[in-house]
Amino acid sequence: DPSSIQVYLSTDSVGVAPTGTVTLMNGSTAVVSGPLVGVAATSTADASGAVTFSTATTPPGTYNFTAVYSGDSNYAGSTAPSTVPVTIFPAHTPVVVTPSATVMLANQPLQVTVTPTPVKGLPIPTGTVTMSASSDAGQITSPPTSLNNGTVTFNYPANSLSPPTSYFYASYSGDADYAPNTGNATVT
């Protein structure tokens, strides 16, 4: 589940709500920008504003963010006086293991598709999946197999797995945006 970063702008003004944009900088690199939602001054509070950034689309890594306010026709632009260290970790994604049949039949091949579920705002997962299939006939472990457009299918020839039950355990390697994870399924 994505997290967020909130930036607050305070003024010493009893005026109108500030507008403009806030940009999070990592050194001299702009990482993300967003519109400031301003609040006009009241009898008990100065004008202020806030912006919330989702980290869902920010690449994993360690940042030293500095907030930069663009300013508007009423307020001058400004830069926060200090940086804030932030570490964004790869997203956790469920790994869905889907056999082509729910019942294991003798003399029938079986396909098992593995899909690490994409997170909204991030690219389709890449990386590899290692599949282990076990039944009374023994265990079959695939070499790491690359995802193709976010999915991979493993083919088990007829009688390579034995009824009544086979267990499938998929291990996803992760990539720059997604953490490693596992998924499993059972065919009876």
Side-chain angles (χ1 to χ4, degrees):
D1 56 341
S3 297
S4 61
I5 299 170
Q6 296 178 328
V7 176
Y8 297 96
L9 174 76
S10 61
T11 71
D12 58 2
S13 169
V14 292
V16 299
T19 59
T21 60
V22 173
T23 302
L24 291 182
M25 303 290 293
N26 185 46
S28 61
T29 303
V31 176
V32 64
S33 293
L36 182 73
V37 177
V39 177
T42 65
S43 60
T44 59
D46 291 336
S48 63
V51 61
T52 300
F53 300 102
S54 170
T55 61
T57 57
T58 305
T62 300
Y63 299 89
N64 287 305
F65 283 136
T66 302
V68 177
Y69 170 56
S70 67
D72 64 15
S73 60
N74 297 301
Y75 299 97
S78 64
T79 299
S82 61
T83 62
V84 176
V86 174
T87 300
I88 298 175
F89 295 97
H92 290 278
T93 182
V95 175
V96 179
V97 179
T98 309
S100 59
T102 57
V103 176
M104 182 62 94
L105 300 173
N107 303 317
Q108 294 294 316
L110 183 71
Q111 290 184 328
V112 180
T113 301
V114 179
T115 306
T117 307
V119 173
K120 184 178 179 179
L122 290 179
I124 292 172
T126 60
T128 62
V129 172
T130 301
M131 175 69 82
S132 294
S134 61
S135 69
D136 288 344
Q139 183 167 326
I140 301 170
T141 301
S142 75
T145 306
S146 296
L147 292 169
N148 182 4
N149 200 26
T151 191
V152 63
T153 299
F154 296 90
N155 295 300
Y156 296 94
N159 302 318
S160 61
L161 302 168
S162 63
T165 305
S166 291
Y167 304 95
F168 299 92
Y169 178 82
S171 178
Y172 169 55
S173 67
D175 63 16
D177 296 302
Y178 295 96
N181 205 357
T182 59
N184 60 64
T186 303
V187 176
T188 56

